[in-house]
Amino acid sequence: MPIYTLKNNREEDITQVNEQDWSIFKQKLKNKTGIDLDLYKEAQMKRRINNLVMRKGYQTFSTYFDFAVKDKDEFASFIEYLTINVSEFFRTPEKFSELESVIIPELLQKSPKLNIWSAGCSIGAEPYSIAMILDEKTPGTRHRILASDLDVDILAKAKEGIYTDNELKAIAIGRKQRYFTKTDDGKYAVSAAIKAKIEFRRHNLLKDPFETGFDLILCRNVVIYFTEEAKDKLYKEFFKALKPGGILFVGGTEAVLNYREMGYENHRPFFYRRPFNS
């Protein structure tokens, strides 16, 4: 039976991982959540999950999973860890500035009411950031902003719309004052008007069907552990989901090197366009 040797966070500790145990764990996870780890980079995901299992004091993936499913809070924490929910408002400010000053004005020239999808929205910072930009550029206009994520608990946090000061660190003071109210415990609640602009939905990017007709799709810092095959399939599906002339906005470490093969134009760095004549 094949054995994998993985290191945990402490360099001196070595754990042997049984391949049969890993296979059983993957199947249990898929049955429970729909998450198919065969579509993720195996070595990285094994190492990441192995680190968590060891920290929790378990010897195998399967025994940890059996424990986690019996504890709602533990399972929620596990899924959040697994799906890497890291986000903040206006993440990578220079790219968001380009989105605000160049991309969105271009899209508004073609379509006064935009259809936007924040795919893998995590805690909601990204779709709320888009809603603030559009509220300032087109006051009173009702755009559609769909925000989706695999993790239902993270979606609940996004819908709640309460954030720490650190999560708001990239927001200009004026926007912070305009769109947030400080809570009694020192956090910040996004305004009801901005919350009402977002349509949140659970969606598995590697399994569920896509809508079509989007002017802009944002999928940033989501595909880090996806296999190359899964990434290619995802970007091809995004292409079909965009309107002709629509834009796909990816993360700063996620350049789509084979964009031409999929039909995209490289509009600007990390912004890929479906050609108008496609």
Side-chain angles (χ1 to χ4, degrees), residues 56-258:
K56 296 292 183 176
Y58 288 84
Q59 297 301 310
T60 69
F61 295 117
S62 295
T63 54
Y64 169 71
F65 186 84
D66 292 344
F67 155 72
V69 294
K70 296 174 183 176
D71 185 315
K72 182 179 178 182
D73 292 339
E74 178 65 28
F75 195 72
S77 176
F78 165 60
I79 295 300
E80 181 176 350
Y81 175 83
L82 186 64
T83 52
I84 319 165
N85 286 299
V86 178
S87 186
E88 62 190 43
F89 285 80
F90 298 90
R91 186 172 183 175
T92 320
E94 66 277 10
K95 300 310 294 183
F96 249 93
S97 176
E98 197 171 351
L99 178 70
E100 179 176 0
S101 62
V102 178
I103 302 299
I104 286 180
E106 287 179 351
L107 293 173
L108 287 171
Q109 288 179 357
K110 301 292 182 183
S111 227
K113 292 185 178 181
L114 298 180
N115 187 17
I116 296 173
W117 180 16
S118 172
C121 69
S122 185
I123 60 174
E126 182 175 270
Y128 287 138
S129 297
I130 293 291
M132 292 176 206
I133 290 172
L134 290 173
D135 185 65
E136 293 171 354
K137 287 193 172 297
T138 57
T141 301
R142 182 71 182 184
H143 303 278
R144 183 191 182 218
I145 305 174
L146 172 64
S148 70
D149 203 275
L150 178 64
D151 187 339
V152 292
D153 293 294
I154 283 297
L155 282 174
K157 175 177 171 58
K159 291 176 184 178
E160 186 182 30
I162 297 177
Y163 300 96
T164 64
D165 195 43
N166 187 59
E167 288 166 335
L168 271 61
K169 63 187 178 184
I171 292 186
I173 295 297
R175 279 180 173 154
K176 192 172 179 180
Q177 293 172 341
R178 186 178 310 122
Y179 295 116
F180 292 86
T181 302
K182 199 164 188 178
T183 63
D184 292 340
D185 60 356
K187 295 181 180 179
Y188 292 84
V190 70
S191 73
I194 290 297
K195 285 174 69 173
K197 296 178 184 293
I198 314 298
E199 175 188 338
F200 287 103
R201 183 184 303 170
R202 185 186 186 276
H203 184 271
N204 185 336
L205 288 170
L206 297 178
K207 178 183 177 182
D208 297 332
F210 289 13
E211 290 186 29
T212 57
F214 290 104
D215 298 283
L216 173 66
I217 297 174
L218 302 93
C219 186
R220 308 175 67 230
N221 310 294
V222 172
V223 304
I224 180 173
Y225 288 131
F226 288 10
T227 65
E228 292 306 312
E229 293 79 7
K231 287 181 191 177
D232 284 354
K233 181 180 177 182
L234 178 65
Y235 292 140
K236 288 174 183 175
E237 291 299 317
F238 282 148
F239 183 89
K240 291 186 285 187
L242 288 167
K243 291 179 183 177
I247 297 288
L248 171 65
F249 180 22
V250 303
T253 61
E254 299 168 338
V256 185
L257 301 180
N258 58 339

Side-chain angles (χ1 to χ4, degrees), residues 262-276:
M262 300 182 195
Y264 291 100
E265 298 172 341
N266 189 359
H267 185 46
R268 302 174 77 88
F270 307 105
F271 294 95
Y272 301 91
R273 183 165 62 193
R274 176 173 174 170
F276 289 101

